[in-house]
Every structure is written in C-alpha cells, then in structure tokens.
Amino acid sequence: MVDFLNLARDKYNETFSKWVGENYNALDPVIRLAEEESIVAMPGGGFDGPDWTIRFSLANSYSEDSEKISILMNEILDEYYNEFQNI
C-alpha cells in the first residue's frame, strides 16, 4: 500500500501535499493508472485504510512491475507539482 500524500510530502514538501489533498480526489491517481497505463490498483479507503492510500496486488507481479508503478506514480506527482507551481 502506498500513501500518495506522504509520497507527495516526501518528494516535495508538506505544502504541496496539502494542496494535492485539497485540489484532487483521492481516486484520481488510481483512475489515471488504470486509464493511461492499464494498471489496476484499488483505493485504500475501500479496505479500511486512509483515503489517499493506493493498494497494489503483489500476486502475479514481477519486480519490473513495481519499478514501473513507482516511475508512473512519480510522473503523476511531477504533473501535479508543475500545476502547483503555476498557481
């Protein structure tokens, strides 16, 4: 399980993390991964986790899948951060 807002804070800063939480829906990264990359993830809130957590199945996964997911999550954060800087 990945906490997307913690990832945003760790990569950039707390102000950006709060901005993401206030300006996006917690499902946005989950939907983008599915639509853009055909990666199926589940929102952590559906599993009694925090709203901004994302669950990935490790069943039938390979190490390169984890690397690809990490890169894609960081690309989403980078896009959000570019938007954040332009406000």
Side-chain angles (χ1 to χ4, degrees):
M1 192 154 39
V2 175
D3 187 317
F4 196 76
L5 292 183
N6 281 345
L7 186 62
R9 184 196 67 229
D10 292 346
K11 183 168 183 174
Y12 292 105
N13 58 54
E14 183 68 31
T15 303
F16 171 65
S17 178
K18 287 181 182 179
W19 179 86
V20 170
E22 293 169 356
N23 290 278
Y24 282 92
N25 184 296
L27 292 176
D28 186 67
V30 173
I31 293 168
R32 286 189 59 180
L33 288 169
E35 288 180 345
E36 297 172 12
E37 302 294 335
S38 300
I39 294 174
V40 177
M42 300 296 293
F47 294 89
D48 203 26
D51 286 337
W52 276 93
T53 55
I54 302 171
R55 292 178 58 100
F56 296 94
S57 173
L58 298 178
N60 301 318
S61 295
Y62 301 96
S63 61
E64 57 268 10
D65 295 335
S66 297
E67 184 177 341
K68 180 179 180 181
I69 290 168
S70 175
I71 290 168
L72 294 169
M73 299 263 301
N74 278 287
E75 286 176 359
I76 293 170
L77 278 175
D78 292 344
E79 289 176 25
Y80 291 172
Y81 192 73
N82 286 336
E83 181 181 345
F84 171 73
Q85 287 184 307
N86 291 321
I87 58 172

